[in-house]
Amino acid sequence: MDSGSFTNSQYGHILPSFSAVDLRLNILTSIYSVTHFLVKHHLFSTIDKMLYQRHYGFTMSERGGVRRMNTRPSGSKTSNVAHEAKWRKSQDHFECFTNLIGIELEDELSQVQERWKNWSKQKMLSAGLALFDLVGRTSGRFFGDPILVFEARGGGPLPFHRFGHGDMVIISRARPWGEKVIEGVVLDRNNSRIRIVAKDKPSDLRKGGWRLDKGANRVAHDRMHDALISFHSTEGDGGTTLRDLLLCQPHDLVSSAQRPPEIHGQKIRPLNLTGMTLDDSQKEAIETAVKQRLTMIQGPPGTGKTHTAVHLLRALIDMGRGPILACAESNVAVDNLLEGLLELGVKAIRFGRPVKVRESLREATLDAKVSSHPKQDEIDFIREETEGIRSKLHDLKGKDRGMAHKDISKNYREIRELEQRITDDVLSSAEVLCSTNIGAGHFTIAKRKFSIVLIDEATQATEPSALVPIVKGARQLILVGDHRQLPPTVTSRRAEENGLNIPLFERLLSNGIPAHMLTTQYRMHPTIREFPSARFYENRLEDGCSSAERPPAAGFLWPDWDKPVTFVPVHGSEIEEESGSSRSNMDEAAIVIKIVNDLLVPGDIQPEDIGVISPYAGQVRLIRSMTNDEIDGLEIKSVDGYQGREKEVIVLSTVRANENGTVGFLSDFRRLNVALTRAKRGLIVVGDDRTLRNDPTWASWLDWVSESNLMAWHVVNS
């Protein structure tokens, strides 16, 4: 098979050499097949047909056939519809987001292709996006799929890499753009090996060397596109009765959002929060959410937004509502929802591949529930019977052989029907189904509808991603998030600049639909809370923990022992990496390691109580290489990977130090907010104050530090 072809099976992919025209052809081909099916089965209205004809430039016959599809680049490209806060035309919303997710996929594929074709092996290694010359072996199975183990040839530690639990990887020999490859998902990793779960394993796994690459995710694009089609279909309710409200078309948006949900056929019991551990703002959020069709809950750092979300779900179940679809953008956040629900005794099931689920929660996955179902005995019996027939096939001839093949086909059909019945039975028993936003678009639950949808981490989801669960029949929608923390991750700068990074939560907020803010934080020492509350939350945050409950770590000489916050001024210099993708600062890294070692001396905190964070992946790599895993349990991560996390002490390395005063993406106040609000008992920021003062938010924080006499000059002068 030549390298320009593309196959998509569960076992492997031939990845193409994508050009912009190739990508357009690829997308149009998939759109054609979906569109042809919808028209053939009369699922498209006349307006839907016109919308597709205008956007994709092909016409459909009355019988559902396609007369012509012109994919040649024309002089005038499809006009790009600008992102709007309020969508007067449904068609504009569809065109805008279809275009943006297309750009996102195109740029992601282009980046992968660029790396493969133009980056040197050393550049790929230094960026942590590929591993080379690995040896492979198998190590058992994971829910029926083989586990592939890859190690460095000759043993020893693997080079630095960015492959983490749940990441999609491409397994190849040497040239993934021109050979058959296998896609897998990272199960786990340690210093010397990485374990990957795949649908199939190469027959010659133990022979020769292997290469791992980070891949692009086409599945997310396809499911977001399907959700946009459903959302804008004029047949039925477009997947949700909330469409006009979410487009911000009603004249009085607030009143429209506050209307009671139109959910029929359920006998509703009154709300009962007795016995639930909730503060006043959490109770108010739940009381509001259960009675209106659209609710937004803003959860600043440490205020218990996931705690509130799971208690809200429990309250809805107790009222007789359900089943409910509970989603979040990341697997970690979904697992947090699931864990909280199980602790409250809710019958919750985790939908998605078990390899992406936290190990302690895998028994609650759909796969685990299905495999332990009583009817599995019947399936096992039929499988054994089938194997028995297959083993005798070579002795049979003529009519007997034909009858045996019929029996085998009948058995396989029976197995499939039994498996579907078991799956339906398990799903029907769930009070809450937990899934990632994109996971909610899986074909297994395609026919299931959920009147109530809750999305946690709603401010980290792009609008098309949030629509995937919403079009599962939402009549009541609860969005939980915080627009003052990090926005959705968007790979394409073009897509970001055109509005793909604006979450639905924030767009609704900009139109005057209020968010209920949780106002009591339980994480931070009051001094750590002080600046973020004043700067980002209008001084509305209150403390649910006292200074005595958050004593400063003894291993650092705090400028003020009653205020465990400090800035360590390091006047070094930043280094741009060869790949140009990140930066590091050796001077800061050395100080960070000294601070960590000092913190550990008294013994009041352990390595796992400390989080070393930096906005730059290059600095994360540098500090990791300098510690060389000698401090067992110490977590060194990017700021962006730490949202929703907390540690006793946080050491933040800001990296930027230059004569131009350029701070780069440190200027995003949301990133600073996340960085400053992860610590419980102590926050130590290391950086160049001369550079950081060029940004107004950083300058404000440094002024606050100086006025509070919290500068730690003694650390660099000692």
Side-chain angles (χ1 to χ4, degrees):
M1 194 172 289
D2 78 277
S3 62
S5 63
F6 184 89
T7 64
N8 185 1
S9 73
Q10 62 175 330
Y11 298 111
H13 296 257
I14 301 296
L15 296 178
S17 301
F18 274 115
S19 66
V21 176
D22 292 329
L23 182 81
R24 180 170 165 76
L25 278 165
N26 205 351
I27 291 174
L28 283 169
T29 302
S30 62
I31 291 170
Y32 160 63
S33 59
V34 171
T35 308
H36 181 72
F37 173 85
L38 292 170
V39 175
K40 180 180 177 183
H41 294 278
H42 310 291
L43 299 178
F44 255 145
S45 67
T46 305
I47 294 174
D48 291 322
K49 292 177 190 175
M50 289 170 60
L51 190 154
Y52 260 83
Q53 290 163 11
R54 172 179 163 185
H55 193 70
Y56 292 108
F58 58 82
T59 56
M60 309 170 201
S61 73
E62 287 305 307
R63 290 177 298 174
V66 175
R67 294 196 186 108
R68 174 183 59 83
M69 184 165 72
N70 181 14
T71 60
R72 289 177 297 176
S74 59
S76 60
K77 291 179 71 177
T78 303
S79 59
N80 291 341
V81 178
H83 183 280
E84 298 177 31
K86 187 176 289 190
W87 297 93
R88 291 174 181 82
K89 294 182 181 176
S90 174
Q91 182 176 319
D92 287 347
H93 180 275
F94 177 85
E95 290 199 16
C96 174
F97 282 109
T98 300
N99 181 50
L100 290 179
I101 62 173
I103 290 171
E104 172 78 352
L105 177 63
E106 182 179 356
D107 284 2
E108 192 176 355
L109 289 167
S110 296
Q111 286 174 22
V112 172
Q113 201 68 20
E114 163 71 16
R115 292 198 298 265
W116 284 351
K117 292 203 166 182
N118 299 320
W119 283 27
S120 67
K121 179 178 175 179
Q122 187 52 47
K123 190 173 180 180
M124 293 279 281
L125 277 170
S126 65
L129 296 170
L131 289 170
F132 300 89
D133 198 25
L134 304 174
V135 292
R137 58 184 171 86
T138 56
S139 177
R141 289 186 171 266
F142 185 83
F143 287 90
D145 293 330
I147 299 171
L148 314 181
V149 181
F150 293 95
E151 297 162 306
R153 186 180 297 280
L158 290 170
F160 166 80
H161 61 87
R162 296 194 202 176
F163 299 100
H165 171 71
D167 284 347
M168 292 177 64
V169 294
I170 297 167
I171 305 165
S172 67
R173 285 294 188 183
R175 294 162 57 86
W177 58 90
E179 63 181 81
K180 185 172 182 179
V181 302
I182 289 175
E183 284 190 347
V185 178
V186 177
L187 176 60
D188 58 31
R189 54 174 278 185
N190 64 21
N191 191 37
S192 59
R193 60 108 177 106
I194 181 168
R195 295 202 301 162
I196 294 167
V197 176
K199 286 292 181 187
D200 197 14
K201 71 177 180 68
S203 57
D204 53 354
L205 181 62
R206 286 184 170 272
K207 296 177 183 176
W210 294 95
R211 164 179 175 163
L212 301 181
D213 286 85
K214 275 206 150 190
N217 188 356
R218 287 188 60 88
V219 173
H221 169 273
D222 294 345
R223 291 185 185 171
M224 289 188 286
H225 190 264
D226 289 346
L228 283 164
I229 293 172
S230 179
F231 187 66
H232 290 286
S233 170
T234 52
E235 297 289 333
D237 56 18
T240 173
T241 57
L242 305 176
R243 179 175 56 199
D244 292 351
L245 174 58
L246 297 181
L247 293 173
C248 297
Q249 292 178 345
H251 176 67
D252 188 343
L253 279 174
V254 176
S255 296
S256 180
Q258 290 174 346
R259 276 171 40 195
E262 298 172 6
I263 302 175
H264 308 295
Q266 292 181 335
K267 188 176 180 181
I268 304 303
R269 295 183 287 273
L271 174 66
N272 182 7
L273 301 181
T274 306
M276 293 191 184
T277 308
L278 299 164
D279 62 41
D280 290 344
S281 66
Q282 292 168 344
K283 280 181 184 173
E284 287 170 20
I286 292 174
E287 287 165 354
T288 301
V290 297
K291 64 188 180 187
Q292 58 188 45
R293 63 177 187 156
L294 173 63
T295 305
M296 298 196 296
I297 299 172
Q298 183 186 1
T303 56
K305 67 181 179 63
T306 302
H307 176 84
T308 305
V310 297
H311 281 80
L312 167 55
L313 291 167
R314 176 65 208 244
L316 285 165
I317 294 298
D318 289 346
M319 290 173 70
R321 300 282 182 86
I324 301 170
L325 181 59
C327 295
E329 186 68 9
S330 71
N331 281 291
V332 172
V334 179
D335 287 348
N336 291 340
L337 283 172
L338 175 66
E339 188 172 49
L341 289 167
L342 294 175
E343 287 173 359
L344 292 176
V346 174
K347 293 177 185 173
I349 287 177
R350 174 70 154 90
F351 186 71
R353 293 188 66 179
V355 66
K356 296 191 175 187
V357 179
R358 195 177 303 153
E359 188 173 359
S360 60
L361 299 171
R362 285 175 187 156
E363 288 305 308
T365 61
L366 176 63
D367 291 55
K369 296 286 186 186
V370 166
S371 64
S372 62
H373 194 278
K375 285 190 180 292
Q376 280 293 342
D377 292 341
E378 290 182 46
I379 292 176
D380 292 340
F381 176 79
I382 298 169
R383 281 206 174 109
E384 284 177 24
E385 183 183 69
T386 306
E387 286 306 309
I389 298 170
R390 289 182 70 89
S391 67
K392 295 174 183 176
L393 269 177
H394 64 281
D395 295 328
L396 301 175
K397 293 179 182 178
K399 187 177 179 183
D400 289 339
R401 190 179 179 90
M403 291 296 291
H405 276 297
K406 275 188 177 180
D407 287 341
I408 289 170
S409 297
K410 176 174 166 287
N411 283 358
Y412 279 139
R413 189 164 58 251
E414 222 176 300
I415 287 171
R416 282 196 300 273
E417 288 171 359
L418 267 172
E419 285 176 336
Q420 187 58 55
R421 283 208 295 273
I422 290 171
T423 301
D424 290 341
D425 186 43
V426 171
L427 288 172
S428 297
S429 71
E431 294 173 326
V432 179
L433 184 66
C434 300
S435 166
T436 60
N437 293 339
I438 298 301
H442 195 275
F443 69 86
T444 303
I445 55 172
K447 294 179 180 177
R448 291 189 171 267
K449 296 294 181 185
F450 299 88
S451 298
I452 305 174
V453 175
L454 179 143
I455 303 178
D456 197 3
E457 272 192 347
T459 47
Q460 288 189 273
T462 64
E463 186 159 332
S465 176
L467 287 178
V468 178
I470 289 171
V471 298
K472 297 297 295 175
R475 292 174 173 271
Q476 184 172 16
L477 176 64
I478 300 130
L479 302 175
V480 184
D482 182 11
H483 60 291
R484 311 297 285 179
Q485 296 187 61
L486 287 168
T489 300
V490 176
T491 302
S492 166
R493 181 163 292 186
R494 289 188 297 155
E496 182 178 328
E497 288 170 351
N498 284 284
L500 188 59
N501 67 330
I502 301 171
L504 175 63
F505 185 107
E506 192 168 351
R507 183 171 67 77
L508 295 173
L509 200 64
S510 72
N511 278 285
I513 298 176
H516 185 100
M517 187 193 287
L518 307 179
T519 55
T520 303
Q521 69 86 20
Y522 300 90
R523 175 185 298 157
M524 299 165 274
H525 183 287
T527 303
I528 301 174
R529 180 267 310 149
E530 191 176 316
F531 179 85
S533 177
R535 183 78 180 187
F536 308 124
Y537 299 106
E538 301 164 336
N539 257 329
R540 291 178 63 188
L541 294 190
E542 301 166 358
D543 297 314
C545 54
S546 65
S547 300
E549 292 172 299
R550 298 287 184 268
F556 184 83
L557 187 57
W558 301 96
D560 185 335
W561 285 88
D562 292 327
K563 298 178 178 180
V565 176
T566 191
F567 181 78
V568 180
V570 177
H571 297 161
S573 59
E574 65 186 64
I575 303 165
E576 185 172 2
E577 293 192 341
E578 180 200 349
S579 63
S581 60
S582 195
R583 286 174 163 76
S584 60
N585 187 315
M586 179 65 77
D587 305 281
E588 287 188 20
I591 291 290
V592 166
I593 291 169
K594 178 183 182 299
I595 290 169
V596 169
N597 285 325
D598 289 347
L599 281 166
L600 294 172
V601 171
D604 63 322
I605 58 172
Q606 302 304 311
E608 54 269 24
D609 297 324
I610 303 171
V612 174
I613 61 175
S614 175
Y616 289 93
Q619 187 72 344
V620 171
R621 289 195 287 276
L622 176 61
I623 296 171
R624 280 180 181 166
S625 68
M626 291 171 71
T627 59
N628 200 25
D629 292 329
E630 289 173 5
I631 309 175
D632 190 36
L634 177 67
E635 198 169 46
I636 307 165
K637 288 200 168 193
S638 70
V639 172
D640 291 38
Y642 236 79
Q643 181 152 324
R645 304 283 308 286
E646 64 183 26
K647 288 284 184 179
E648 298 294 317
V649 178
I650 288 288
V651 184
L652 166 65
S653 175
T654 58
V655 178
R656 298 312 294 258
N658 55 74
E659 293 178 357
N660 300 326
T662 305
V663 298
F665 72 177
L666 286 182
S667 62
D668 189 332
F669 75 89
R670 296 167 297 190
R671 185 167 282 107
L672 175 59
N673 184 24
V674 170
L676 297 181
T677 54
R678 302 304 98 197
K680 296 169 75 174
R681 292 170 51 192
L683 172 65
I684 303 167
V685 181
V686 180
D688 187 333
D689 51 313
R690 301 169 304 180
T691 299
L692 296 174
R693 280 193 176 278
N694 288 279
D695 175 75
T697 311
W698 274 102
S700 177
W701 185 78
L702 287 166
D703 287 343
W704 175 77
V705 166
S706 296
E707 289 162 9
S708 305
N709 295 315
L710 301 177
M711 295 287 282
W713 292 101
H714 61 279
V715 175
V716 288
N717 293 333
S718 59

